[in-house]
Amino acid sequence: MKILVLNAGSSSLKYALYETSPEAAKADTDKLLGEGMVERVTTMTGALKTAFKDLRPLLQGEIIAGVGHRVVHGGTFPGAMVIDAAVERAIDELSALAPLHNPRSLAAYRAAREHEPNATHVAVFDTAFHQTLPRHAYAYAIPPRYLDDKKVRRYGFHGISHRSVALRFARLQRKPVEALRIISCHLGNGCSVCAVDRGHSIDTSMGFTPLEGLVMGARSGDMDASALLYLITHEHEDPAALLTMLNNESGMKAISGLSNDMRDILSAADSGNARARFAVDAFCYRAKKFIGAYMAAMNGADALIFTAGIGENSAAIRAGIATGLDQLGISVDPALNDLKSTVARCVGSSQIPVWVVPTEEQLLIARDTMTCIVAQSAHSG
Ligand code: ADP
């Protein structure tokens, strides 16, 4: 069946058309028929029109059976959901926790539903994979009423990506994912590390929102909450402005004073820019600490995987993170690590092998959407 995947970003709409089925997903033979991106989106309806114009010839007269929508915050939904009125309302309510993301996904859904009223629309959440975190990993150590009444807890994000690289790595190893302990590092504009213990996420570095954890392009990652309360109480800083500062003006952009783009920062560091070097060191150091933590959480690991823009493309960052982990059984091989490639590959055959595995979020969204459609028709038939 033909599945359209939609991924609405803050100003862009990525789209992809897949041909898939339960058999094709199992055999890994599903096909990407076409993909593209509309940038500087003003209205979702307009963006979708462009996408459909691009994809229509690829449909060859067939209908779109399902539309898979990437949704960043799915609260406690444990998996992909067919979007009905209740799911739509839940995504809307979760917008308070993901104000940059969920409203865009909803807008894309509403526009796509207008355009494809007969297709099954499915929400695939970035949070769902982390619903297996045990309570001791997802609960903050604060009075439980904040968790029970206010839903303040760690949710985790990038779940589609972490799940996709864990599954791809297991397939390449010809091992069931249930036999592997994997530490997955998704390093893009947003960055997170995940401990995938025998197929289940048991811990991840992002928390209540995608701000916690690693140093990112423009996000601070971990910091002491009382420092912010100090700024609000004693320095009369505005809470909303602080939130913007933490999400948009911090991280690598703030430390380097240059840019949130890792390529710019690495080339400045190479040319002797001290702030850029300091930023790279801070980035690698924070990632390294989480790798150590997740080795402790799983009592070891069977693989360390890098993915996303930085993880897939930057040999320097992979080497920087792995430096000084040899006593833990992790090191990269400079010759393998420096090879330029776009396919999954081993970059360090240390005791714990180090791999680059390109993320396949769109493929996973297509498969989850197809699986929901199959389950729904089995249920109604
Ligand atoms: P998003 O999280 O928006 O999907 P990506 O996964 O595309 O982002 O990652 C974007 C990041 O990847 C940027 O910081 C960019 O600088 C970085 N990047 C892409 N190619 C390289 C490269 N060759 N070397 C270093 N960083 C790179």
Side-chain angles (χ1 to χ4, degrees):
M1 66 179 85
K2 302 263 190 303
I3 303 287
L4 172 66
V5 174
L6 294 179
N7 182 355
S10 52
S11 66
S12 67
L13 177 72
K14 287 190 202 156
Y15 55 89
L17 184 68
Y18 282 88
E19 172 70 50
T20 184
S21 66
E23 300 72 32
K26 193 156 179 253
D28 198 28
T29 54
D30 16 25
K31 285 197 197 73
L32 173 64
L33 302 176
E35 63 182 329
M37 173 153 91
V38 186
E39 286 178 283
R40 286 187 286 272
V41 169
T42 43
T43 69
M44 277 299 170
T45 311
L48 267 177
K49 264 200 190 118
T50 309
F52 278 111
K53 209 160 101 195
D54 184 21
L55 295 174
R56 191 164 298 117
L58 305 170
L59 282 169
Q60 297 182 319
E62 269 189 63
I63 58 153
I64 291 177
V67 184
H69 298 269
R70 188 226 184 122
V71 180
V72 164
H73 213 311
T76 52
F77 283 120
M81 300 290 294
V82 172
I83 308 179
D84 57 15
V87 172
E88 184 180 350
R89 204 171 329 112
I91 297 171
D92 195 15
E93 283 166 10
L94 287 162
S95 289
L97 305 186
L100 301 178
H101 298 104
N102 277 28
R104 305 294 294 173
S105 305
L106 264 188
Y109 160 65
R110 287 171 182 152
R113 183 182 58 188
E114 282 288 303
H115 202 285
E116 292 294 316
N118 297 321
T120 303
H121 292 259
V122 173
V124 183
F125 302 106
D126 268 306
T127 44
F129 184 53
H130 304 300
Q131 280 299 302
T132 48
L133 256 63
R135 188 175 168 113
H136 62 247
Y138 73 68
Y140 290 113
I142 56 177
R145 65 176 181 277
Y146 293 104
L147 169 57
D148 299 333
D149 302 344
K150 315 263 184 217
K151 310 292 173 228
V152 172
R153 50 161 285 175
R154 308 185 61 251
Y155 291 97
F157 298 87
H158 290 147
I160 306 166
S161 179
H162 291 302
R163 184 161 66 102
S164 105
V165 300
L167 291 172
R168 174 60 61 201
F169 178 75
R171 193 184 273 276
L172 290 166
Q173 297 291 303
R174 297 197 164 79
K175 286 188 179 150
V177 73
E178 292 77 16
L180 296 168
R181 294 162 302 170
I182 293 168
I183 298 173
S184 158
C185 302
H186 177 110
L187 309 178
N189 278 315
C191 301
S192 69
V193 187
C194 181
V196 188
D197 192 0
R198 300 168 176 89
H200 300 293
S201 169
I202 59 138
D203 208 348
T204 191
S205 58
M206 284 177 168
F208 180 61
T209 71
L211 179 62
E212 194 177 333
L214 301 184
V215 176
M216 307 180 215
R219 284 174 242 171
S220 63
D222 286 345
M223 82 173 274
D224 185 339
S226 62
L228 298 163
L229 296 174
Y230 161 81
L231 291 174
I232 293 166
T233 321
H234 292 279
E235 299 293 327
H236 312 292
E237 299 251 3
D238 172 44
L242 284 179
L243 193 62
T244 303
M245 178 276 283
L246 292 169
N247 276 299
N248 302 332
E249 294 152 27
S250 297
M252 299 298 281
K253 185 176 167 186
I255 309 178
S256 71
L258 286 173
S259 159
N260 60 352
D261 191 305
M262 189 59 96
R263 284 165 292 202
D264 300 340
I265 299 166
L266 284 168
S267 78
D270 283 344
S271 322
N273 181 314
R275 277 185 70 181
R277 173 52 52 201
F278 174 44
V280 170
D281 290 348
F283 183 91
C284 293
Y285 178 68
R286 184 85 60 90
K288 187 196 295 245
K289 282 207 296 188
F290 275 94
I291 292 168
Y294 293 164
M295 285 190 64
M298 296 192 288
N299 195 16
D302 301 303
L304 172 65
I305 298 178
F306 289 101
T307 194
I310 300 169
E312 291 170 33
N313 296 305
S314 176
I317 293 294
R318 293 191 299 263
I321 292 173
T323 300
L325 290 181
D326 50 305
Q327 291 291 313
L328 296 184
I330 292 172
S331 56
V332 297
D333 175 328
L336 293 176
N337 190 39
D338 288 346
L339 275 181
K340 289 215 184 318
S341 165
T342 55
V343 299
R345 60 201 183 272
C346 178
V347 296
S349 43
S350 42
Q351 184 194 335
I352 297 169
V354 184
W355 277 64
V356 171
V357 179
T359 185
E360 297 172 304
E361 291 167 296
Q362 301 197 140
L363 173 64
L364 228 64
I365 295 171
R367 286 181 181 170
D368 281 0
T369 303
M370 176 273 294
T371 305
C372 279
I373 293 172
V374 171
Q376 192 184 43
S377 61
H379 192 67
S380 63

